[in-house]
């Protein structure tokens, strides 16, 4: 068990048998979706699915709910995980990534076409799950996250190789690309879980956790080590993705301004060392941690049982521990 799973294990323990049961039902539902739409999808999606992810977003759905209406809650949890998987399958096409969750990506195994179609199918099934609940508000929440995700990916492409991405623009991108789905997960949990009045504040909590999550993921891309992340250091630099560590490092080492599109993997690693030498990794980590602290503080004033507040705090901490 790695530290991330250990930390989520703590969340599971705190959530009790109710949370574990809901997560189990979500797994069953995801397996049904992967198997129920033809052999091709089953082959491509089943692999990614059974390799398992952390299921962070479903967990947020359940932890933001009061635990009553199990059926729509499981539908919402399956929907956010399907949307997440769809974006990962597509992201791996854009990034030409060989591995995901420790296994060959759909892109690596089936090629661009299969990965694009598999992602599309997962996207549409995500919406079918929610549509079945009959809640227009829920469909709109997921649709907002889905549009944001696409805009975030487009913005990232537009910023590729750029010499003057500001921290603000980077944060906007993270908000769109990652935080929006964390926000939607919390919002759906509140909506279906009998806490509609908390949908906005819990959504904001999720957004900040998601923001920190992506910021720390980007730190890890530079910091490694590769044995821990399962990918070589500097993959973002190799495809021109300008993230916070580089943006901050450039202020101290102007030689880092230009990114060379013909960079080799070895040069990218050397560049990672140069970024680290400026102290930018600590600065980016500190910025991310501030969002985790802010997210946890925002829970203090909410009408939630203490145990729930504690569990949500553990999820926020888990994001940090994963990178400690
Ligand atoms: C990875 O998300 C993609 C990012 C938003 C950085 P997760 O780390 O939640 O992926 P899984 O689901 O656990 O594989
Ligand atoms: C994850 O972004 C994909 C989305 C949030 C859409 P990254 O490209 O940073 O994630 P990894 O590093 O491939 O998991
Ligand atoms: Mg990627
Ligand atoms: Mg990344």
């Amino acid at each position: 068990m790695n530290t991330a799973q250990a930390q989520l294990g703590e969340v599971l323990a705190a959530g009790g048998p109710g949370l574990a049961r809901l997560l189990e039902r979500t797994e069953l539902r995801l397996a049904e979706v992967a198997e129920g739409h033809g052999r091709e999808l089953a082959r491509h999606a089943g692999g990614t699915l059974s390799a398992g992810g952390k299921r962070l977003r479903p967990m947020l759905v359940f932890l933001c709910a009061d635990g009553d209406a199990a059926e729509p809650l499981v539908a919402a949890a399956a929907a956010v995980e399907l949307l997440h998987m769809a974006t990962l399958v597509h992201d791996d096409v854009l990034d030409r990534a060989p591995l995901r969750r420790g296994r060959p990506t759909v892109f690596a195994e089936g090629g661009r076409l299969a990965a694009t179609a598999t992602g599309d199918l997962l996207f549409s099934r995500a919406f079918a799950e929610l549509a079945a609940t009959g809640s227009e508000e829920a469909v709109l929440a997921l649709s907002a996250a889905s549009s944001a995700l696409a805009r975030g990916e487009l913005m990232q492409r537009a910023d590729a190789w750029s010499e003057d991405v500001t921290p603000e623009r980077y944060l906007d991108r993270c908000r769109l690309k990652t935080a929006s789905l964390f926000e939607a997960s919390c919002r759906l949990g509140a909506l279906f879980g009998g806490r509609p009045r908390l949908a906005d504040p819990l959504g904001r909590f999720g957004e900040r956790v998601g923001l920190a999550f992506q910021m720390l993921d980007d730190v890890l891309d530079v910091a490694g080590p590769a044995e821990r992340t399962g990918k070589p250091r500097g993959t973002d630099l190799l495809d021109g993705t300008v993230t916070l560590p580089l943006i901050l490092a450039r202020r101290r080492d102007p030689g880092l301004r230009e990114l060379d599109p013909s960079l080799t993997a070895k040069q990218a690693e050397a560049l990672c060392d140069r970024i680290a030498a400026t102290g930018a990794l600590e600065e980016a980590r500190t910025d991310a941690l501030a969002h985790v602290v802010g997210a946890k503080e925002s829970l203090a004033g909410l009408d939630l049982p203490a145990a729930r507040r504690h569990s949500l705090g553990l999820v926020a901490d888990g994001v940090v521990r994963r990178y400690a």
Side-chain angles (χ1 to χ4, degrees):
M1 196 188 265
N2 62 32
T3 43
Q5 288 161 333
Q7 182 68 18
L8 292 175
E10 232 180 286
V11 177
L12 269 178
L19 177 62
R21 262 198 306 274
L22 285 168
L23 284 167
E24 253 167 57
R25 287 181 58 183
T26 309
E27 290 306 313
L28 290 175
R29 187 68 203 127
L30 289 171
E32 274 169 20
V33 171
E35 281 156 22
H37 299 278
R39 267 218 321 257
E40 287 298 301
L41 180 77
R43 188 154 61 83
H44 293 302
T48 311
L49 209 140
S50 62
K54 293 178 290 297
R55 308 296 194 235
L56 253 179
R57 296 154 190 81
M59 242 177 234
L60 283 172
V61 171
F62 298 135
L63 291 175
C64 288
D66 204 2
D68 288 325
E71 203 57 55
L73 272 182
V74 171
V80 294
E81 188 66 14
L82 286 167
L83 188 71
H84 169 57
M85 284 179 55
T87 63
L88 293 183
V89 171
H90 280 173
D91 182 67
D92 290 335
V93 177
L94 298 175
D95 294 355
R96 291 182 289 275
L99 287 177
R100 168 72 64 189
R101 295 174 171 171
R103 299 173 51 115
T105 57
V106 182
F107 168 70
E109 266 188 349
R112 230 167 76 90
L113 202 141
T116 307
T118 302
D120 287 347
L121 207 121
L122 291 170
F123 260 112
S124 73
R125 295 328 299 171
F127 283 96
E129 285 299 299
L130 271 193
T133 68
S135 165
E136 188 181 323
E137 196 175 355
V139 174
L140 285 175
L142 195 71
S143 153
S146 173
S147 310
L149 274 157
R151 281 178 58 205
E153 289 276 12
L154 282 172
M155 196 168 164
Q156 180 163 312
R157 275 302 98 200
D159 285 351
W161 311 109
S162 168
E163 291 180 24
D164 46 26
V165 182
T166 61
E168 292 72 31
R169 186 164 165 97
Y170 164 80
L171 282 179
D172 278 345
R173 199 171 81 203
C174 293
R175 217 168 264 128
L176 291 169
K177 185 176 98 152
T178 307
S180 60
L181 189 54
F182 278 72
E183 180 194 349
S185 304
C186 292
R187 186 174 281 282
L188 291 173
L191 281 178
F192 286 131
R195 294 193 173 113
R197 279 187 305 125
L198 294 188
D200 284 338
L202 285 172
R204 283 193 294 274
F205 163 82
E207 183 184 45
R208 290 196 90 169
V209 172
L211 206 52
F213 186 78
Q214 184 63 51
M215 291 167 86
L216 289 165
D217 185 70
D218 293 341
V219 168
L220 212 59
D221 196 82
V222 178
E227 306 80 63
R228 183 129 153 247
T229 61
K231 58 183 182 182
R233 288 191 302 147
T235 56
D236 286 338
L237 296 170
L238 280 172
D239 69 2
T241 303
V242 181
T243 62
L244 193 57
L246 177 62
I247 293 169
L248 297 173
R250 280 170 166 173
R251 293 176 170 176
R252 296 172 187 173
D253 181 350
L256 287 168
R257 192 146 290 282
E258 252 179 74
L259 261 186
D260 179 4
S262 61
L263 206 66
T264 64
K266 199 152 179 58
Q267 287 167 328
E269 280 203 33
L271 211 52
C272 288
D273 290 335
R274 191 164 163 181
I275 291 170
T278 66
L281 294 178
E282 286 73 29
E283 201 181 333
R285 256 188 221 113
T286 305
D287 284 0
L289 294 195
H291 285 291
V292 171
V293 171
K296 287 174 70 179
E297 280 173 2
S298 76
L299 296 174
L302 302 185
D303 179 20
L304 285 172
R308 268 316 156 86
R309 196 172 300 131
H310 176 68
S311 293
L312 286 167
L314 283 177
V315 175
D317 287 335
V319 166
V320 181
R321 294 247 186 119
R322 177 176 170 214
Y323 302 98

